[in-house]
Amino acid sequence: MDQIARTPQQIGAAVRRRRKQMALSQDALGERIRLRQATISKLEAGEPGVRLRTLLDALSALGLELVIRPRSTVSPRDIEEIF
């Protein structure tokens, strides 16, 4: 299922949701991509300063991909209701 995410917090929520679907702890995901649990926590919280490489590694480990496309006309409120 495709998900629209426009903020770091929404991206983090999508990562968290997938990690939990896969029954992985933050520590287990961190081990897969050689990062500390605290870094995974920051990514899932949408905190500033998380590297793009960290996001891409986490997406890959979770079997997800980033797709760039023109912005849809879905309102920010509709997106927030998804999360």
Side-chain angles (χ1 to χ4, degrees):
M1 178 178 150
D2 291 345
Q3 297 175 32
I4 296 172
R6 292 183 177 160
T7 68
Q9 292 78 19
Q10 291 170 341
I11 293 170
V15 168
R16 180 183 313 108
R17 187 170 27 262
R18 177 64 173 173
R19 175 182 59 77
K20 288 183 176 185
Q21 287 173 347
M22 294 177 68
L24 291 173
S25 66
Q26 288 181 342
D27 194 48
L29 177 56
E31 287 178 15
R32 285 186 178 198
I33 59 177
R34 299 181 182 178
L35 293 172
R36 299 177 320 130
Q37 174 274 328
T39 303
I40 303 303
S41 178
K42 288 178 182 181
L43 170 63
E44 290 183 359
E47 290 189 19
V50 174
R51 293 176 164 217
L52 180 59
R53 168 72 5 203
T54 299
L55 172 61
L56 295 175
D57 288 347
L59 292 176
S60 178
L62 295 170
L64 299 172
E65 64 186 358
L66 180 66
V67 176
I68 306 297
R69 66 176 189 184
R71 187 174 270 226
S72 66
T73 58
V74 175
S75 75
R77 184 171 183 204
D78 291 339
I79 293 171
E80 286 298 326
E81 290 177 8
I82 294 171
F83 295 95

